[in-house]
Amino acid sequence: MSLCEAEKTFVLHGVEENFRVDGREREDYRPMELETDIVSHAFGSARLRLANTDVLVAVKIEVDAPFPERPYEGKLDFFVDCSANATPDFEGRGGEELAVQISNALSSAYRSPNVFDLRKLCILKGKKCWKLYVDILLLECGGNLFDAVSLAVKAALWNTQVPLVKQVDIDGNNINLDVSDSLSDCQRMDVEKAPIMVTVCKIGERCVVDPNAAEEKCSVGSVVVAVAGRKISTVLQTGTGSLHPVTLLECLTLGVKIAQRLDTALWDTLRQIKPNQDVGFLK
Amino acid sequence: MSRSKELISKIGLRLDGRRANELRRIRCKLGVFTEPDGSAYLEQGLTKVLAAVYGPHQVRNRSKAQHDTAIVNCQFSMAVFSTNERKRRPRGDRKSTELSMHLQQALLAVIKTELYPWSQIDVYVEVLHADGGIYPACVNAATLALIDAGIPIKEYVCACTASLANNDIPMLDISHQEEVMGGPTLTVAALPISGKIVLMEMSQRFHLDHLQKVLEKALQGCRDIKQILDEAVRLHVRDVGCSTGWANTS
């Protein structure tokens, strides 16, 4: 998207007046839609639509060996795929840079054991653990990807059912896992503290949240804050431009405030989801 | 041939309960996204495909521009979670490249490219769930997306698979389970109204005598699919028309 000078000024003045192009205030989000269990053959999945931004997340689980230095922990792997459906710029390897940026931000946000407990994914110390592949597919980009992705990931992890291991037989070096076949035996994961990322975008002299594609173009710099519970787990500065330390601190405070609001909204939504709801693209 | 015998039971039902000449349920929707010029979502059984069309727009790589036709650029990609076993990469492997080329071949046959010199049309398909018959689903979804984008096409291009069960019964629309069980698979992309074949591909082998009836079955499948797509397009146009108010005139 390219904007001319006049359009940029319009956006800038709107932000200054606390009345943005689409009628929102500076701290408002666009409407969101959340669906879970959308990929039937994955262990957990979610689709989040934030206005024009569309993200599909699926979680697949495999058995793997834990890292030697962390024998008690399972593994969590993020993979972002920027589909060319979103924009022709992502064709071929075009989306790789953005994909790596998002997946790195996610893995650093989930790294702390206080945020997401990987020890629950351990099956047998040092030998076997579950590896969670969190695959994120960007279907449409309408700005504010980090927030949308982190919300969708949290919902997908909430939806994930880890198979129950009934018995582990060790025969020499062979390890046989007896995994329960019953679907009702699956265990849910604790995602109470899973981080939510908020992009705080500085436009002119003010900070806004949930910028759309046009506003992202006008920003002088933005800060992505990953908030878990009441604490910050990752801070990431994206885009060009520099921020004054005082502004940066303001951004962080705003980010934490907004993230807590978002978290409450997410849990409210997740609680309302009933099993066997009608989901999908056909709706 | 003991394995392929199980494909159709004695009472004429297949593994998923269909009869030999039945398609899987097709559900589709046009205009699922706002960003692309045209988009469509198509479900054929469990196979789920999203297609997006951008263009006609200026050619991105200037040296490739043609003075008399538009160039059609196709990219096929599969979500890493689309198969039972997780895939390592969504695209760039040989199978995706081959499918991209076949898709381009099928679409070039119907798009009136001569109307758009010096321009480019991008067609992107994304497979969300692969359960057999990926290529046909992609072609059908791409046709719908082209229609949604308003790009002139000569007629529908539809694709379908067919196979031979028990060595003499041709059957339609092969699912993943049936693909794995063995037996030959014939993939046909056709123009159902004029009855022309755009692309034909076969894996494994069967006797030349059987080819005619399997091909006829596949073409019948293409005609059936055309009916379903046509209905979806008409419904979509009616819905869009209603919102603009011209439905009142009829």
Side-chain angles (χ1 to χ4, degrees):
Chain A
M1 176 181 261
S2 57
L3 293 180
C4 72
E5 238 12 76
E7 282 173 303
K8 280 186 179 169
T9 321
F10 185 69
V11 170
L12 200 82
H13 285 172
V15 169
E16 197 62 40
E17 301 273 321
N18 205 5
F19 190 75
R20 286 153 76 178
V21 184
D22 41 11
R24 285 181 290 157
E25 293 189 1
R26 281 193 292 265
E27 293 175 15
D28 287 349
Y29 264 75
R30 289 171 289 177
M32 283 185 236
E33 266 175 60
L34 180 72
E35 292 168 324
T36 53
D37 258 331
I38 193 158
V39 182
S40 51
H41 57 302
F43 290 81
S45 57
R47 177 191 176 211
L48 185 97
R49 203 171 157 80
L50 169 70
N52 268 350
T53 306
D54 209 316
V55 183
L56 183 63
V57 179
V59 181
K60 287 237 171 196
I61 302 181
E62 282 176 20
V63 177
D64 202 6
F67 294 112
E69 67 272 23
R70 284 194 291 265
Y72 288 104
E73 292 182 4
K75 291 178 177 175
L76 183 65
D77 195 41
F78 294 99
F79 178 82
V80 180
D81 179 17
C82 298
S83 164
N85 284 31
T87 147
D89 299 335
F90 290 159
E91 198 189 323
R93 307 175 71 99
E96 229 153 76
E97 219 168 276
L98 180 69
V100 168
Q101 198 187 13
I102 296 176
S103 59
N104 283 352
L106 277 172
S107 26
S108 74
Y110 275 84
R111 196 164 292 151
S112 160
N114 295 326
V115 165
F116 189 74
D117 196 4
L118 287 171
R119 278 170 300 187
K120 289 220 175 104
L121 297 174
C122 181
I123 303 170
L124 187 68
K125 179 204 160 191
K127 302 274 190 205
K128 293 278 175 197
C129 69
W130 294 116
K131 181 169 187 178
L132 260 61
Y133 289 98
V134 183
D135 295 314
I136 300 141
L137 184 63
L138 297 182
L139 292 171
E140 201 172 8
C141 295
N144 206 10
L145 286 175
F146 284 93
D147 302 26
V149 166
S150 74
L151 283 170
V153 166
K154 187 164 178 168
L157 285 174
W158 172 83
N159 183 237
T160 301
Q161 296 186 307
V162 183
L164 185 75
V165 179
K166 284 199 292 199
Q167 198 180 329
V168 183
D169 301 324
I170 305 172
D171 176 17
N173 271 336
N174 291 338
I175 299 165
N176 290 320
L177 300 180
D178 184 10
V179 180
S180 171
D181 294 328
S182 164
L183 272 175
S184 55
D185 276 352
C186 291
Q187 36 185 351
R188 298 264 178 161
M189 273 179 308
D190 178 26
V191 286
E192 192 68 49
K193 284 192 188 141
I196 283 182
M197 295 200 260
V198 174
T199 313
V200 182
C201 202
K202 187 156 183 272
I203 300 174
E205 294 299 310
R206 306 287 182 156
C207 297
V208 298
V209 293
D210 189 25
N212 60 23
E215 283 168 333
E216 272 178 356
K217 279 275 170 260
C218 304
S219 90
V220 284
S222 53
V223 184
V224 180
V225 198
V227 182
R230 303 173 65 89
K231 299 204 171 101
I232 298 175
S233 73
T234 301
V235 177
L236 176 87
Q237 205 178 333
T238 58
T240 53
S242 49
L243 296 175
H244 196 270
V246 179
T247 326
L248 194 63
L249 213 61
E250 271 171 27
C251 290
L252 295 184
T253 338
L254 178 67
V256 174
K257 192 176 91 186
I258 298 291
Q260 281 164 353
R261 250 192 256 167
L262 267 184
D263 200 40
T264 326
L266 178 68
W267 282 110
D268 283 346
T269 318
L270 288 179
R271 261 180 231 117
Q272 280 170 20
I273 290 177
K274 295 173 197 75
N276 304 324
Q277 234 173 355
D278 190 24
V279 291
F281 292 92
L282 289 167
K283 244 189 342 183
Chain B
M1 292 303 272
S2 62
R3 287 179 70 199
S4 67
K5 265 197 181 124
E6 301 148 23
L7 282 172
I8 288 189
S9 70
K10 283 199 186 86
I11 51 169
L13 291 179
R14 287 153 70 173
L15 291 164
D16 47 7
R18 283 183 289 158
R19 297 204 176 271
N21 58 354
E22 280 176 347
L23 291 166
R24 290 176 288 175
R25 178 167 70 158
I26 297 181
R27 296 196 293 177
C28 47
K29 192 180 172 192
L30 281 83
V32 277
F33 293 125
T34 50
E35 191 66 30
D37 296 302
S39 59
Y41 171 76
L42 184 122
E43 263 182 39
Q44 191 159 357
L46 285 175
T47 303
K48 294 170 185 155
V49 181
L50 276 171
V53 170
Y54 287 88
H57 56 77
Q58 207 171 27
V59 181
R60 228 168 290 120
N61 184 355
R62 287 286 176 83
S63 57
K64 279 191 186 162
Q66 305 268 321
H67 71 92
D68 50 351
T69 69
I71 53 173
V72 177
N73 171 36
C74 295
Q75 184 184 273
F76 168 89
S77 122
M78 271 170 99
V80 283
F81 50 80
S82 61
T83 46
N84 278 336
E85 195 79 354
R86 186 178 175 272
K87 280 170 67 87
R88 297 283 145 207
R89 312 197 278 176
R91 60 190 143 258
D93 52 335
R94 279 188 196 185
K95 196 185 158 205
S96 326
T97 317
E98 190 197 6
L99 283 172
S100 301
M101 277 162 51
H102 286 169
L103 187 64
Q104 187 187 25
Q105 190 183 339
L107 297 182
L108 268 176
V110 287
I111 300 176
K112 291 176 89 68
T113 47
E114 67 276 8
L115 296 177
Y116 301 107
W118 303 108
S119 34
Q120 175 177 358
I121 297 165
D122 291 317
V123 181
Y124 302 117
V125 286
E126 181 79 45
V127 177
L128 299 180
H129 192 162
D131 185 62
I134 305 168
Y135 177 74
C138 288
V139 171
N140 301 335
T143 312
L144 289 179
L146 282 173
I147 292 171
D148 187 41
I151 291 171
I153 54 177
K154 289 170 196 148
E155 62 170 288
Y156 286 87
V157 54
C158 299
C160 192
T161 52
S163 178
L164 194 69
N166 304 10
N167 249 336
D168 62 358
I169 309 168
M171 60 181 196
L172 201 61
D173 197 10
I174 313 305
S175 71
H176 178 68
Q177 204 182 5
E178 287 163 337
E179 259 173 26
V180 174
M181 292 267 294
T185 307
L186 180 79
T187 308
V188 172
L191 312 180
I193 299 172
S194 56
K196 286 181 195 155
I197 294 170
V198 184
L199 181 129
M200 186 164 100
E201 198 202 20
M202 207 188 82
S203 64
Q204 298 195 33
R205 58 169 207 167
F206 52 84
H207 197 272
L208 192 60
D209 294 350
H210 297 310
L211 182 64
Q212 189 56 43
K213 60 183 181 192
V214 177
L215 184 61
E216 188 40 56
K217 187 63 92 178
L219 285 174
Q220 182 56 48
C222 291
R223 282 193 288 273
D224 293 347
I225 290 172
K226 186 233 143 199
Q227 285 293 327
I228 296 168
L229 299 190
D230 194 45
E231 210 168 291
V233 170
R234 280 171 201 279
L235 267 177
H236 177 73
V237 172
R238 202 194 64 194
D239 285 353
V240 173
C242 280
S243 59
T244 57
W246 55 248
N248 300 331
T249 52
S250 66

